[in-house]
Amino acid sequence: FYGLRNLKSLYLELNEISLIDLDAFESLESLILLSLAHNKLKTIEMSSLNRLISLIRLDLINNPLTILKNNSLNGLTRLKTLYLDQDRIEYLETEFLGPKNFNNLVKLTINKNSLQKLKSGFFIHLYFLVHLELRENQISIIESKTFSYLYSLE
């Protein structure tokens, strides 16, 4: 994608993508929409997406993702919409949605995964989150104050 500095939308769904090189998206600083839905991503490597400084929407639906680590999506500070549906997510680290990443997130969907526990403070930095979906998971434990800081939720 080198040289495509003005590209706004990139749809890579329904491929066989299993790995994203650290410099795969390095010149796409104007990209606002990235869809990697229906691929074979098992993990998002640290900093593989951090150069997408204008990204507003990220679609990771239907990938075999199991764990998203704290630094998986670092640098996506303008992100407003994140789709993590129909993956195999069992666990989200507490700081995955931390202040360095998702201050502007408005919509988050984590439907049809294998989440079992929602930790206290997990959503603490999502001040502007309006829409949250957690349907069809295996959630059996919701710690106290898990949703306490979601003041904008409708």
Side-chain angles (χ1 to χ4, degrees):
F1 302 107
Y2 184 77
L4 298 176
R5 294 195 190 298
N6 296 319
L7 187 66
K8 300 288 185 204
S9 301
L10 181 58
Y11 296 89
L12 294 170
E13 63 263 302
L14 296 167
N15 282 292
E16 303 286 321
I17 299 169
S18 59
L19 178 69
I20 300 170
D21 285 340
L22 293 178
D23 60 352
F25 301 120
E26 80 175 307
S27 67
L28 299 179
E29 60 247 5
S30 296
L31 196 69
I32 58 173
L33 185 152
L34 175 60
S35 179
L36 292 163
H38 306 281
N39 276 288
K40 299 193 181 216
L41 291 168
K42 291 182 180 176
T43 187
I44 304 291
E45 295 297 324
M46 182 178 85
S47 304
S48 62
L49 301 177
N50 74 343
R51 293 189 176 143
L52 300 176
I53 57 172
S54 299
L55 199 65
I56 292 174
R57 177 180 166 177
L58 178 59
D59 183 346
L60 295 170
I61 292 173
N62 199 13
N63 278 281
L65 294 166
T66 53
I67 297 174
L68 290 173
K69 297 183 179 178
N70 290 345
N71 52 17
S72 297
L73 300 177
N74 274 0
L76 302 182
T77 57
R78 293 186 181 173
L79 198 67
K80 290 185 184 264
T81 305
L82 177 58
Y83 296 103
L84 296 171
D85 304 322
Q86 297 175 342
D87 296 320
R88 296 182 189 147
I89 299 169
E90 299 169 357
Y91 180 74
L92 293 168
E93 292 188 4
T94 305
E95 285 296 315
F96 169 72
L97 295 170
K100 295 178 186 171
N101 299 329
F102 302 108
N103 288 343
N104 295 309
L105 201 65
V106 173
K107 181 174 185 178
L108 173 63
T109 65
I110 314 174
N111 297 315
K112 295 184 179 182
N113 279 282
S114 299
L115 281 177
Q116 297 175 15
K117 182 177 183 179
L118 295 177
K119 290 187 157 198
S120 178
F122 181 71
F123 302 110
I124 194 169
H125 300 289
L126 302 182
Y127 308 115
F128 302 109
L129 193 69
V130 172
H131 186 96
L132 174 64
E133 293 183 23
L134 296 163
R135 292 177 297 181
E136 296 185 53
N137 280 284
Q138 298 170 8
I139 298 169
S140 59
I141 299 170
I142 300 175
E143 292 183 358
S144 66
K145 299 185 180 180
T146 298
F147 302 102
S148 294
Y149 301 96
L150 297 174
Y151 303 119
S152 299
L153 215 54
E154 293 181 357

